[in-house]
Amino acid sequence: MLQDPSRWRRLVAEYSELCQLGAGMTPNARGQRFNGMIAELLTAYGLRAKSDQRSVGELDVVFSYAGRRFILEAKWERGKTGTGPIAKLQRRVEQRMAGVTGVFLAIKGFTDEAIAEVDKGRRLDVLLLDQSHWEAMLSGFVPPQELFDLVTDAASFHGRAYTPINELLRHRTQTPTVTPEPVATGMDGLLRVATVRAVDHTDGLRTGIGADRDGTALITLEQGILAVDLIAQRSQWVAPVSGCSNGSIATANGELLITRGHGVARWAAGQLTVVSSGAAKLDDSHLLMNPDGSTWCLDRGSAGVTPARLIRLGTRVGDERWLELPFAATAAAWLTSTRLVVSDGSDLFQLSSQLTVERRLPAPAGGVLALTALNEQQVVTLLDDMSLVLFDLEAHEHRPLGSLSISGLPGALIRRTDESLFFMGRHRAKGGHVTVAEVEIVGQRPTDAGVPRRREPEVGGNRSRVSPVEAARPARGRVRATVGAVAVPPAVRMPAEPPVPADAAGRVNQSLSTDERLAEQRRGYTDGTAAAVALPLYALEGLVVANFEIASWLKPWRHHWERIASGQAVHGETLPDWLPSIAQLLGAHAAPPRVAHAQLAPSVPYVVGFVDGLRAAWQDAVRSRLVPPDRETLSQWVRTPPSQPGLPPALHTIADLQSAVRRARRSRTWKWIGRSLLWLLTLLFGVSEIAAIAITVTGQWEPNTGANAVIGNAIFGLPFACLLWLAVWDLRRLLNGGQPARRSPTPSQTSHEDRPMPEAEAASTPTEPLVEPPRGDVDRVLSRTDRGNPPGEYAAFAASSGMYWTIVGINTLLIILLAIIIPTTDTPLVAKVLIGVFAAFLVFATVGIANIARNPTTLEIGKMGIQVYRRNGTYWFPWQVLNRVEMMRLEGGTRHLVGWCTNPELFPESDSFGGGPRFLPKLKAVAICPLNILHTRRYLVARALQTYGGSCYRSPSNS
């Protein structure tokens, strides 16, 4: 029995330092300290032990247990121990009285020759232990007293000095039978017991329940972990390790975490590896799975004796982290990766990641035996009267679900799906079989209580927007398709559903060595990182909402693909371009069975690494402040209409955001360079103009005529005036945070020439989606003045107006110079008339270019159709009238957006400069908008067409 938990935890932490040779420790110093650590560990468990004893030969550790004396030799060397040191220990044992047993503990193990010769031709009086035995003792998975009993029995009955830890704990009993249990439940209102089975086993002291990645019940019994198929009434041992306690956890890579004694171990491929220490109380470790994939253990503690702790498990003993809870606990469950709910036996407490109490929820009368989280807001508790209670943490409410007529067991409740639980108890009838029930929550749904319900999305059937807790891809107006990413609450689940044939996947995974698994995981991590930066944000949002569970994220998209592949989809419904790319990496996890991609069968380590890569890329984007860190803000941000021309946030990728940040940095750098030059030139011309004025006042022009004075002052004064105006405008923009100064519109600004830009119109349109025009109104191309696409469901691309404003400025300076030259120079009259005509032409041209600069051509591609905004009108192309849309090179090599539609001859065959739609007689199509004038990249236009246009859009036919 563990008598000194504090010393025990200190030794576990110190063992990690010894493994790493920390603080400048030498191998010799480590060996000496190792002897003292062994003695201290045995003392912490109540054994009388001493280290470094000198008598007839130096003894590392001596101790006694159960009336027997043991002398222990410890070696922590680089290589395996051979025959010589073991023979030396045997001679020392022979020098002692009968009944003394030698124990040789070698961290690196023993050579085959040493194990074979230790018991040849003589009485066996030495036990051989390696690192696995030592870590089993240190962690408490097999306490020292039990370990020495097991190895002594193996040596006494089977003549084996060395027995692996697997063999010491392996049970050899028959598989329990599974039979229907007719008397098990009292169904009550919102509770339905779907399946009840009794396991032919009567010892329920160490029982617990878990669920594997397939949703099969995992029952912890005295002999090990039993997988029970409740429907088929079959069972099999999945971890035949005797002495296990409480529930188990199936990890993402197919391994099983189990608890025993005071420790936690991993069972994988028939091998047992101790990974962590657990609770200070025997058989009281309770495993928890965090939504981020990390595994934890709850040490419930005891009031007034030992504090409760939350332990984050590592990969080996000594890597774990202990976090002390503010009170003794009876049960706990993670809500999110940073919040958990804990019960002290009477009430529930919501704790933050720093384990501080955020809120307290009083529970109904009765003690809380177990609890499990359904989602981020709802928890189901099992009370000591065998009633189940649903707690709504956001609404601070609880309501009873029903009760069960079987005796309860602590910790025997675990979530199976969103609406079902596994419960295990003891049958009250004679015999006391262990009873397993699959409990379904029915009747009043969580949505009835105001909690968002993460429902299974359906593809097709309506045009409504998905709720804020779901991520939806933008859909075309006539497709009427909605694909949502289901947000699944924290669960013990594989990172992906196993649609791959079980035998094929099993062969792949079982044939991989440890190095190959690591290589596969690294390859998956690299591919996942690359895929994450190329996914649109609406897809990444669904992944984040699903807690990076590949199965929950890809399931609706796989169903959507299945509908398209089977011909059941609505006409025009298409796949997002990123889904086949993901299917090339994840195979059947993303593709339906009838698609060729489904033949791919990635290994489990690859899928685990892929998920880690996705999560790492997302976290890096959050750290770089490219995306909001919390789900609510992310959901709102993705659905916010764009504030300037470009793709909506939902269609951007992390790579786009990274490129935008780099462009913004370069732009800021060049802006400050230009700003510095502007202010320097303004100062230079200002000083020069002051000098010109001084020369004019003193009459020092040569010759001193009025014309020379005017021209001299104009040469410096006009550039100074323009530069000063630009400097003041730039200063006002700088003070306004980089945005143009806002002015209140006047009645004169509401004319057709000064109509609002599409962004301003988006702000003034209703928040509800606009009703699609009746079919009778769209049998030809329409021209409309209002926006045809619903707010936030379009991508806008505007022409750059900077070049036009530059031309306006140059023309203005030229006009002023010509206006000065005409009356002040002694040129002939004919020349003055010609200059005047040229100046008048410049005035008219400048006014036209200014109108183009004020109202640049804007192309909008949205859910309902394509709309082109021009200075002389707005053109509307609903998807209903467009048969095909392509990006093509036309005459002159300019690239245009070309559409084949009804009545294309309504448009003129030529267009005045400004970039509007025109008829193409040879193609019987309409050149909707030139792309070279748009201030955007062509692939962004293609992405908007593919997203909103669906099958209407085709890849560029000319390049």
Side-chain angles (χ1 to χ4, degrees):
M1 179 179 178
L2 182 60
Q3 297 182 356
D4 194 343
S6 299
R7 177 186 290 188
W8 169 59
R9 295 200 186 279
R10 179 177 56 80
L11 293 173
V12 172
E14 186 180 359
Y15 176 65
S16 178
E17 298 178 2
L18 292 185
C19 291
Q20 301 172 7
L21 284 177
M25 180 178 292
T26 63
N28 290 334
R30 178 176 63 182
Q32 294 177 0
R33 176 60 194 133
F34 187 42
N35 297 338
M37 178 179 288
I38 296 172
E40 288 187 44
L41 178 66
L42 298 177
T43 303
Y45 275 93
L47 301 179
R48 293 187 302 158
K50 297 179 182 179
S51 62
D52 299 326
Q53 298 297 301
R54 296 183 179 274
S55 58
V56 181
E58 183 179 353
L59 303 177
D60 290 343
V61 179
V62 297
F63 64 96
S64 60
Y65 166 63
R68 295 181 61 87
R69 272 63 178 173
F70 295 84
I71 57 176
L72 186 146
E73 179 74 14
K75 291 289 184 182
W76 194 327
E77 298 177 341
R78 293 183 178 181
K80 293 184 178 182
T81 300
T83 305
I86 299 176
K88 183 178 179 180
L89 176 62
Q90 288 176 324
R91 287 194 297 272
R92 290 178 180 173
V93 172
E94 291 173 352
Q95 293 171 350
R96 270 72 182 175
M97 295 181 60
V100 175
T101 303
V103 179
F104 202 108
L105 172 56
I107 290 296
K108 297 302 181 181
F110 306 92
T111 63
D112 295 338
E113 180 184 7
I115 296 177
E117 293 185 2
V118 69
D119 52 2
K120 260 185 188 177
R122 63 189 311 277
R123 181 175 61 86
L124 183 59
D125 53 5
V126 173
L127 306 175
L128 303 183
L129 306 180
D130 59 16
Q131 187 173 12
S132 63
H133 299 89
W134 160 248
E135 291 185 348
M137 284 194 298
L138 178 63
S139 66
F141 191 79
V142 185
Q145 294 93 327
E146 182 183 7
L147 180 69
F148 290 121
D149 284 340
L150 291 173
V151 295
T152 301
D153 289 346
S156 301
F157 303 146
H158 304 288
R160 295 197 300 259
Y162 174 79
T163 305
I165 195 72
N166 275 24
E167 293 298 322
L168 291 176
L169 299 180
R170 184 181 297 273
H171 75 81
R172 293 172 175 79
T173 58
Q174 295 182 349
T175 302
T177 59
V178 181
T179 58
E181 182 57 60
V183 182
T185 69
M187 194 164 58
D188 193 3
L190 303 178
L191 192 67
R192 177 191 300 148
V193 178
T195 309
V196 178
R197 294 292 183 270
V199 179
D200 187 14
H201 184 78
T202 57
D203 186 3
L205 297 179
R206 295 182 173 180
T207 53
I209 193 157
D212 68 3
R213 59 183 183 275
D214 299 324
T216 302
L218 299 177
I219 304 176
T220 303
L221 300 176
E222 174 67 24
Q223 297 93 339
I225 309 299
L226 184 72
V228 177
D229 188 336
L230 300 181
I231 304 301
Q233 300 182 26
R234 292 195 302 266
S235 64
Q236 64 175 353
W237 295 110
V238 293
V241 180
S242 62
C244 294
S245 59
N246 302 313
S248 56
I249 283 184
T251 62
N253 55 4
E255 300 173 343
L256 194 65
L257 290 178
I258 58 178
T259 66
R260 186 186 189 279
H262 303 278
V264 182
R266 177 178 63 246
W267 178 268
Q271 295 297 317
L272 182 71
T273 305
V274 180
V275 296
S276 175
S277 58
K281 184 178 179 182
L282 189 66
D283 296 328
D284 199 38
S285 302
H286 297 269
L287 297 176
L288 309 175
M289 175 69 80
N290 190 292
D292 64 6
S294 59
T295 50
W296 299 70
C297 177
L298 173 66
D299 180 358
R300 302 192 299 180
S302 56
V305 181
T306 57
R309 286 181 172 86
L310 200 62
I311 306 168
R312 177 163 185 160
L313 307 184
T315 57
R316 56 176 300 170
V317 179
D319 293 343
E320 58 266 37
R321 280 195 306 117
W322 298 285
L323 303 175
E324 189 170 323
L325 293 173
F327 47 79
T330 59
W334 283 101
L335 298 172
T336 67
S337 59
T338 58
R339 292 190 298 124
L340 73 158
V341 60
V342 179
S343 172
D344 64 350
S346 58
D347 297 326
L348 298 185
F349 298 87
Q350 181 178 310
L351 305 183
S352 66
S353 57
Q354 288 76 31
L355 300 184
T356 58
V357 178
E358 292 181 341
R359 65 181 65 177
R360 174 176 176 269
L361 285 83
V368 177
L369 291 181
L371 63 86
T372 186
L374 286 181
N375 49 53
E376 297 178 5
Q377 300 174 358
Q378 294 179 312
V379 175
V380 175
T381 62
L382 173 67
L383 303 183
D384 51 12
D385 61 354
M386 294 304 99
S387 62
L388 294 176
V389 179
L390 177 65
F391 281 82
D392 189 328
L393 303 180
E394 294 297 328
H396 297 269
E397 298 175 351
H398 64 267
R399 60 179 183 272
L401 296 175
S403 59
L404 301 169
S405 60
I406 47 183
S407 300
L409 297 169
L413 179 71
I414 192 170
R415 171 186 174 274
R416 180 178 181 269
T417 66
D418 290 353
E419 299 174 358
S420 65
L421 309 167
F422 274 142
F423 171 81
M424 187 171 68
R426 295 288 300 276
H427 185 38
R428 292 178 179 175
K430 185 177 181 180
H433 298 308
V434 174
T435 300
V436 184
E438 180 183 338
V439 181
E440 181 184 359
I441 301 175
V442 296
Q444 184 175 355
R445 299 295 183 185
T447 38
D448 299 334
V451 180
R453 184 66 185 163
R454 291 170 169 82
R455 54 185 174 81
E456 191 77 6
E458 296 182 358
V459 180
N462 62 70
R463 193 192 295 272
S464 60
R465 298 292 295 168
V466 268
S467 62
V469 297
E470 297 175 338
R473 78 180 274 271
R476 286 184 46 187
R478 63 174 178 173
V479 172
R480 302 175 182 269
T482 301
V483 180
V486 184
V488 179
V492 181
R493 187 178 295 180
M494 282 287 291
E497 285 186 339
V500 186
D503 55 347
R507 288 193 300 269
V508 171
N509 294 322
Q510 290 177 3
S511 62
L512 296 177
S513 64
T514 302
D515 293 339
E516 290 172 337
R517 285 175 176 268
L518 292 176
E520 281 286 288
Q521 189 166 349
R522 283 192 290 267
R523 187 170 67 89
Y525 182 89
T526 302
D527 291 345
T529 305
V533 299
L535 285 174
L537 291 183
Y538 72 82
L540 275 176
E541 183 207 3
L543 180 63
V544 173
V545 171
N547 293 324
F548 289 90
E549 292 184 1
I550 289 292
S552 304
W553 175 51
L554 290 178
K555 184 177 181 180
W557 293 108
R558 193 170 63 249
H559 290 172
H560 175 56
W561 196 347
E562 172 68 21
R563 287 169 52 83
I564 294 175
S566 62
Q568 301 176 1
V570 180
H571 176 68
E573 193 172 357
T574 58
L575 280 179
D577 55 354
W578 57 268
L579 188 56
S581 301
I582 295 295
Q584 290 179 356
L585 302 173
L586 297 181
H589 301 290
R594 66 179 68 228
V595 179
H597 297 78
Q599 303 305 316
L600 300 175
S603 63
V604 171
Y606 177 86
V607 178
V608 174
F610 192 86
V611 176
D612 292 340
L614 292 174
R615 183 183 291 108
W618 176 259
Q619 292 173 350
D620 184 63
V622 171
R623 284 192 298 268
S624 302
R625 298 184 179 180
L626 298 177
V627 292
D630 58 285
R631 298 177 184 176
E632 292 76 11
T633 307
L634 173 65
S635 179
Q636 296 174 3
W637 179 66
V638 168
R639 289 165 179 78
T640 301
S643 59
Q644 58 185 357
L647 290 177
L651 298 187
H652 279 294
T653 64
I654 292 179
D656 294 338
L657 299 179
Q658 292 171 342
S659 300
V661 169
R662 289 192 294 267
R663 289 196 302 270
R665 291 195 186 119
R666 289 196 299 266
S667 177
R668 284 195 299 269
T669 302
W670 284 109
K671 280 181 180 179
W672 276 106
I673 293 175
R675 182 174 289 121
S676 301
L677 290 175
L678 173 63
W679 292 346
L680 181 61
L681 289 175
T682 302
L683 179 61
L684 179 62
F685 275 93
V687 173
S688 301
E689 176 59 22
I690 293 174
I693 294 174
I695 293 173
T696 302
V697 171
T698 57
Q700 296 180 11
W701 293 105
E702 292 294 340
N704 188 17
T705 62
N708 286 344
V710 172
I711 294 174
N713 283 275
I715 290 175
F716 299 105
L718 290 178
F720 172 70
C722 295
L723 291 172
L724 182 62
W725 181 85
L726 289 174
V728 172
W729 176 83
D730 181 67
L731 184 60
R732 293 181 61 187
R733 187 183 182 94
L734 181 63
L735 295 176
N736 196 35
Q739 300 296 328
R742 296 182 175 88
R743 294 177 297 178
S744 301
T746 61
S748 62
Q749 292 176 313
T750 59
S751 63
H752 176 72
E753 291 292 333
D754 296 328
R755 65 172 180 81
M757 288 298 292
E759 293 79 14
E761 292 179 8
S764 61
T765 51
T767 56
E768 295 82 5
L770 298 178
V771 179
E772 182 182 342
R775 181 66 186 178
D777 294 336
V778 293
D779 56 353
R780 59 185 180 88
V781 178
L782 299 178
S783 176
R784 56 190 299 171
T785 57
D786 61 330
R787 171 169 280 110
N789 292 298
E793 298 192 29
Y794 63 85
F797 308 97
S800 176
S801 59
M803 179 183 65
Y804 296 107
W805 284 119
T806 303
I807 296 174
V808 169
I810 295 174
N811 286 353
T812 303
L813 288 175
L814 186 58
I815 291 170
I816 295 174
L817 288 175
L818 293 176
I820 295 174
I821 291 173
I822 291 174
T824 58
T825 58
D826 296 332
T827 56
L829 181 60
V830 175
K832 290 185 177 182
V833 171
L834 293 177
I835 294 175
V837 172
F838 179 68
F841 171 76
L842 281 181
V843 170
F844 286 110
T846 303
V847 171
I849 295 174
N851 287 332
I852 295 175
R854 294 175 60 188
N855 297 282
T857 300
T858 301
L859 173 67
E860 282 190 4
I861 304 170
K863 177 180 179 181
M864 308 299 291
I866 300 175
Q867 195 162 9
V868 180
Y869 293 88
R870 285 194 61 215
R871 61 186 180 86
N872 60 350
T874 303
Y875 299 90
W876 171 238
F877 298 85
W879 292 117
Q880 287 88 342
V881 302
L882 287 171
N883 300 318
R884 186 166 90 249
V885 178
E886 292 185 15
M887 290 189 292
M888 303 178 58
R889 288 190 185 275
L890 301 181
E891 64 280 358
T894 59
R895 192 181 296 274
H896 278 68
L897 183 63
V898 179
W900 282 259
C901 60
T902 58
N903 302 327
E905 63 278 358
L906 293 177
F907 294 91
E909 295 185 15
S910 61
D911 176 52
S912 59
F913 70 143
R918 60 190 177 91
F919 177 53
L920 302 173
K922 293 183 179 180
L923 298 177
K924 300 297 182 183
V926 177
I928 297 176
C929 180
L931 300 179
N932 61 309
I933 68 171
L934 300 179
H935 188 60
T936 186
R937 298 178 183 270
R938 182 169 55 89
Y939 75 90
L940 297 179
V941 180
R943 187 185 302 172
L945 289 170
Q946 198 277 338
T947 301
Y948 294 111
S951 60
C952 225
Y953 168 67
R954 299 188 183 180
S955 301
S957 57
N958 299 333
S959 55

